[in-house]
Amino acid sequence: MFEQMDAINWVVIAAFVVLVIAFIWFLFGKPDQTELPAPEKPKPLPPEPAPSAPPAADEQQAALREEPARAPAEAEEEAEVTIPPEAVVPASPPPAPAVEAPPEPAPRAEPAPTPPRKKSLKEGLAKTQEGLISRIRKVIFGKPELDAKVLDELEEVLYTADVGVKTVERLLDVVRDRLNKKELNNAQAVQDAIKEEMERMLEFEARPISWDSAKPYVIMVVGVNGVGKTTTIGKLASKLREEGKTVVLGAGDTFRAAAVEQLKIWGERAGCEVHAMAEGADPAAVSFDAVKAGVEKKADVVICDTAGRLHTKTPLMEELRKVHRVMGKAHEGAPHEVWLVLDATNGQNAVQQARQFNEMLNLTGIVLTKLDGTAKGGVILQICNELKAPIRYIGIGESKEDLQEFHPREFIDALFS
């Protein structure tokens, strides 16, 4: 009986102890399910750091009790966080309304190039007037008496002006003779006498140019290199085209390539047909073709350039005779004119050229260029007085307008004005 009660008591005591342990475990030993570490996942590549160890039981319980109270506070703190002004990005302003660009002004028309002004004859002869006429006036004006000494001074002025020996003698003879006859009483009368005699030298009888006497009217142009021969042909062609004439040009200066190209440019400007061959071709063949083309096309004028020839080279001058003959075979009576181009700045050398070319080709006219650039324009008096070769044109400038027909009275008036 006592043994059964001892057994029951031990059972009760054991049950009581189990209950106490269960109660204690319930209060303090129940694990926080929220804090249990999650089951490990397969490690990614690269491996993530291992999770930290869970806090102690007391710390876990305190964290659970403080969590509800801390959440509202953190929410209020987050709501009260202020953003510093410099961290604020200002909103971009609204785009400005599009402004229409003002219409571009219409391009202004470029003014037409001003055509070169035609020089007056007085302007073109200014240097000759200063070198000849002004010096004559200094000798005869202001002298108390017109005696032999004045004539000696006048002679010196005329010689140094390149008017030539025969021309000087003719002028002095006229003045001396009229002084002896008492026809010249003052300096003005002496100047007038000189002016009248110069005009008579230039106004000798010469065959006029008859453009309509033949169709085509053929002109052969000769001269030494550098006198402005090709340029003169181009200017003359332009003037004839402006008068309504049809013109054919022959580029016969085949020994100088630049001459052929230069004539082509002039021909293009003037609207003239230009006949040319390769450099070094026979000048006579070029001239023949040019004249023949003028005949076939019924041109009004044919102007043939020739190679520059030194007047002292007889074989080269003979070639010009050949060109002259060949032109006559292409067109009966051609060339109707043979013009020599002279550079006035050459003075007495120009006279020598005129003499040689005249003996070789029987010149019918002379073109005196570059009168505006020299004081030796008095050479024109010697050419006309000694050679009796008419001056057809004179050049007093660069433009085509400055190639002017020669009129003796106008020339002398401009010289003495």
Side-chain angles (χ1 to χ4, degrees), residues 185-259:
N185 300 321
N186 53 53
Q188 183 62 48
V190 174
Q191 177 181 281
D192 291 343
I194 294 173
K195 178 181 177 181
E196 290 169 5
E197 191 60 26
M198 286 183 175
E199 188 173 338
R200 276 192 288 270
M201 290 180 182
L202 301 178
E203 281 187 332
F204 62 89
E205 195 69 28
R207 179 176 61 84
I209 301 173
S210 180
W211 299 105
D212 299 326
S213 61
K215 194 176 183 72
Y217 196 76
V218 181
I219 303 173
M220 177 182 178
V221 182
V222 298
V224 302
N225 287 328
V227 296
K229 179 166 48 70
T230 305
T231 300
T232 297
I233 292 173
K235 291 179 179 180
L236 178 60
S238 296
K239 295 175 75 69
L240 294 174
R241 287 290 296 141
E242 290 174 356
E243 295 173 6
K245 292 180 172 61
T246 55
V247 181
V248 174
L249 302 179
D253 190 354
T254 57
F255 293 98
R256 188 169 66 94

Side-chain angles (χ1 to χ4, degrees), residues 75-123:
E76 291 178 2
E77 289 177 1
E78 291 175 0
E80 293 175 1
V81 172
T82 58
I83 301 175
E86 58 271 14
V88 178
V89 179
S92 58
V99 179
E100 293 185 2
E104 294 184 2
R108 294 193 305 172
E110 291 292 335
T114 304
R117 183 180 66 87
K118 178 181 177 180
K119 281 186 180 180
S120 67
L121 191 54
K122 181 178 179 180
E123 290 175 322

Side-chain angles (χ1 to χ4, degrees), residues 281-299:
D282 183 5
V286 177
S287 299
F288 180 88
D289 287 350
V291 175
K292 204 68 177 174
V295 173
E296 294 173 355
K297 297 179 182 297
K298 298 182 179 180

